[in-house]
Amino acid sequence: MQIPFKTLLEINKQSSLPIYVQIANGISQNIQSGILKTGTKLLGTRQMAELLEIHRKTVVAAYDELYSEGWIEVFPKKGTFVAQYLPTVKPVEFSIKQENTILEIPNLSIAQNAIIKIPPVITHRLAFNDGLPDIRLAPREELARLYAHYIKFGDSSILQYTNPYGHIRFREVFSAFLNETRGMNILPQNILTTRGSQMAFYLIGSALFQKNDEMMVGSLNYPAANMTFESLGLKLNIVPIDEDGIVVDAVEEICKQKNMSGTPIKAIYITSHHYHPTTVTLKPERRIKLLALAEKYGFYIIEDDYDYDYHYANRPVLPLASADRHGLVIYLGSFTKRIAPTFRVGYIVAKQEIIEELAKYRRIMDRQGDTILELSLADMLENGTLKRYTTKALKTYRERRDFTCDLLKNELVNVIDFKIPDGGMAIWAKFDKSISLMKLSEKVSKKGLYLSNGSAYEGLNACRMGFSSMNLKEMEEAVAILRTCI
């Protein structure tokens, strides 16, 4: 009987799977299904190649693959046949099945971490998130083109291990960019790349501080930063905040008290540009005094400038790092807000001794960053792609901020109290006490809208309402759902 190999073996020349592997897989699958029985003679490599309209070497490679796996056997002067004794494809059991029991071994018990909370994964079509960019606006085509270029045509060294500081070209380009746009005076050796701000917190906390060291944070603060520092054993001293951000006079009082008790403050963490969560910008006079206090009492300022580029009222205020002359400011940020959260490139800027120490911890934590992504971003910084995108996004997000604030004022004026933010991607919203934010979050979720339940800011019945990731039509729909549920 003539076996219809051309029908049995489907070849997709557009597939990323090599053709010889497709042929080998097709023959082995037909053997397992019983279509090709033990002892069946296969076509010679030349005949099979002519039948399938491919090169003979491709068929030879497929037959070699099948022979190595034991599916076929070759007899000189006779031909190639389906093997008499086929390989066993049934998985080998790891151990004898037993009833599921929990074996208590004290030395191997898992300590439950009560500090770290896993954030929710937002899958809703509409979302008042924490303040994230609209990935539909991101320059994905340009980034994909550059990334593919480096994979295909880049020097082979970029596919090897590199140093944990980050690729030198990215650090050269980015240091020049920060000097130009942030008023800094840094060199490439003052930069360490990270997988985002979260890694930066962990590296800084691990490398520069010891368990039970004292640091300061605002009474309302970025929860993920607090979790990181607390999990490393640092003691957090809470500084009050007001309508202008962190109260610097209170910082001085805490420093005096701690010095008297013999446990000096080692650092303060701030989000200086758009305070998280309230979005206010720390005024220049407070920045000057905070720098003076850091010099007087000898503590580090960890400055998280997470969305510097998105300021709507006027030009952004330069970061504290631009006025630091003593290496006391550790400046960090990421490209998350500029492009999309999935692109994990962040950075730490500090004096060289600190960067060198941080790199040691980076070495044992994650070895190095994404070299190709760093090179792609360097190109986009140099050729102006990121600047053009940011300018366009800034205009779009300002429009969305204004539209959202008008909607909330018109539709929910007696329910939500907020101030129009000067910058950033979210509104700090306080809900009327008659409304349970926890229950409201559950209600809107069932209608396809994400809204934080406010648990991160206990007792305030408040949350951040991100406006940048929804267009105007989606925002109308989101506010309508919110109004209906309230």
Side-chain angles (χ1 to χ4, degrees):
M1 181 181 69
Q2 186 71 29
I3 298 173
F5 284 104
K6 191 163 186 177
T7 304
L8 293 178
L9 302 176
E10 294 184 8
I11 296 175
N12 179 6
K13 294 184 178 181
Q14 304 303 318
S15 172
S16 60
L17 197 67
I19 292 176
Y20 84 92
V21 176
Q22 295 182 46
I23 295 171
N25 287 348
I27 291 175
S28 65
Q29 288 166 9
N30 280 292
I31 293 172
Q32 292 178 66
S33 64
I35 295 173
L36 296 178
K37 301 184 183 300
T38 297
T40 301
K41 186 177 181 179
L42 302 182
L43 293 179
T45 55
R46 196 179 305 280
Q47 286 179 288
M48 185 70 83
E50 290 176 357
L51 181 68
L52 299 178
E53 298 177 348
I54 57 176
H55 199 283
R56 179 170 173 261
K57 288 183 179 180
T58 304
V59 180
V60 171
Y63 280 14
D64 286 345
E65 185 79 9
L66 290 164
Y67 181 78
S68 68
E69 293 177 3
W71 293 108
I72 62 175
E73 48 194 0
V74 180
F75 298 101
K77 297 183 180 180
K78 289 186 178 181
T80 303
F81 299 82
V82 177
Q84 289 291 333
Y85 302 100
L86 299 175
T88 303
V89 294
K90 181 181 178 182
V92 178
E93 292 186 357
F94 175 69
S95 63
I96 298 172
K97 291 183 178 179
Q98 297 179 346
E99 292 184 8
N100 290 331
T101 57
I102 298 176
L103 184 61
E104 296 290 345
I105 304 177
N107 292 339
L108 299 180
S109 61
I110 300 174
Q112 297 289 322
N113 191 312
I115 297 173
I116 300 174
K117 303 290 189 296
I118 302 297
V121 176
I122 302 173
T123 59
H124 302 67
R125 186 174 62 85
L126 305 170
F128 285 115
N129 51 46
D130 192 61
L132 299 175
D134 189 340
I135 59 174
R136 294 168 295 190
L137 303 179
R140 290 186 288 175
E141 288 186 9
E142 175 68 3
L143 186 57
R145 185 186 67 78
L146 290 168
Y147 204 96
H149 168 79
Y150 279 111
I151 289 177
K152 291 179 180 180
F153 309 112
D155 187 276
S156 61
S157 63
I158 67 174
L159 299 178
Q160 303 290 347
Y161 284 121
T162 184
N163 70 56
Y165 294 89
H167 197 278
I168 183 59
R169 180 165 173 272
F170 172 79
R171 290 184 290 129
E172 287 172 346
V173 172
F174 193 54
S175 60
F177 173 82
L178 290 177
N179 290 341
E180 180 184 345
T181 62
R182 308 287 201 274
M184 295 185 183
N185 183 26
I186 61 170
L187 298 171
Q189 51 264 42
N190 297 118
I191 296 176
L192 175 79
T193 66
T194 67
R195 295 276 187 181
S197 297
Q198 192 61 51
M199 178 186 279
F201 302 152
Y202 197 84
L203 289 175
I204 293 166
S206 300
L208 302 186
F209 308 114
Q210 297 179 348
K211 189 176 182 180
N212 294 322
D213 276 352
E214 305 270 352
M215 72 175 296
M216 296 177 287
V217 298
S219 57
L220 284 177
N221 196 48
Y222 183 39
N226 285 6
M227 283 193 297
T228 305
F229 297 133
E230 283 188 290
S231 70
L232 292 171
L234 277 71
K235 293 184 177 179
L236 304 187
N237 295 268
I238 307 302
V239 181
I241 65 165
D242 60 18
E243 63 277 2
D244 292 320
I246 202 159
V247 179
V248 179
D249 289 342
V251 170
E252 185 170 19
E253 287 302 314
I254 292 173
C255 288
K256 287 178 181 178
Q257 294 171 14
K258 290 297 176 179
N259 273 17
M260 290 177 61
S261 66
T263 56
I265 293 293
K266 297 294 182 69
I268 184 172
Y269 169 83
I270 60 168
T271 46
S272 58
H273 211 76
H274 304 127
Y275 187 80
H276 195 292
T278 63
T279 76
V280 299
T281 299
L282 192 64
K283 291 184 175 180
E285 54 268 28
R286 292 196 181 187
R287 293 170 183 242
I288 293 170
K289 184 170 183 179
L290 186 58
L291 272 172
L293 291 176
E295 294 172 15
K296 180 178 180 180
Y297 291 99
F299 60 80
Y300 288 117
I301 299 173
I302 304 171
E303 183 178 18
D304 182 0
D305 211 357
Y306 65 98
D307 58 2
Y308 176 89
D309 299 286
Y310 297 115
H311 199 74
Y312 311 119
N314 46 50
R315 286 182 59 83
V317 179
L318 290 177
L320 278 79
S322 67
D324 177 29
R325 297 293 176 264
H326 302 283
L328 295 174
V329 177
I330 302 170
Y331 183 78
L332 63 96
S334 79
F335 284 82
T336 294
K337 299 295 189 295
R338 295 194 72 175
I339 304 177
T342 196
F343 298 115
R344 307 305 299 163
V345 175
Y347 50 87
I348 302 173
V349 180
K351 60 183 180 181
Q352 189 172 348
E353 305 94 289
I354 291 177
I355 293 298
E356 289 174 355
E357 195 62 26
L358 293 175
K360 297 175 185 177
Y361 283 81
R362 170 65 190 271
R363 169 65 180 82
I364 62 172
M365 182 181 183
D366 190 35
R367 183 57 176 83
Q368 67 183 62
D370 185 334
T371 301
I372 297 177
L373 182 55
E374 290 175 11
L375 288 170
S376 299
L377 289 173
D379 281 358
M380 293 171 73
L381 285 167
E382 280 193 324
N383 65 28
T385 298
L386 276 181
K387 183 179 180 180
R388 289 191 296 273
Y389 161 67
T390 303
T391 301
K392 180 180 178 181
L394 180 67
K395 181 180 179 181
T396 300
Y397 295 155
R398 182 192 290 117
E399 181 185 25
R400 292 181 182 182
R401 177 204 63 171
D402 295 344
F403 186 77
T404 302
C405 290
D406 286 344
L407 268 181
L408 293 177
K409 284 181 179 179
N410 294 333
E411 303 290 341
L412 298 165
V413 63
N414 297 319
V415 176
I416 302 175
D417 181 37
F418 66 93
K419 290 183 179 179
I420 299 175
D422 289 336
M425 299 179 173
I427 294 165
W428 175 240
K430 298 179 182 178
F431 285 73
D432 189 271
K433 292 181 179 179
S434 63
I435 296 169
S436 168
L437 188 50
M438 190 75 69
K439 292 180 179 178
L440 179 59
S441 174
E442 293 177 1
K443 285 182 181 180
V444 298
S445 180
K446 293 176 181 178
K447 294 183 177 292
L449 171 66
Y450 172 82
L451 177 72
S452 170
N453 61 18
S455 59
Y457 311 104
E458 192 174 350
L460 295 180
N461 208 39
C463 69
R464 282 167 62 89
M465 296 177 65
F467 55 78
S468 52
S469 60
M470 290 187 281
N471 60 35
L472 305 190
K473 183 178 179 181
E474 290 166 339
M475 185 59 71
E476 278 188 321
E477 189 178 350
V479 172
I481 290 173
L482 198 59
R483 183 185 66 245
T484 301
C485 291
I486 288 175

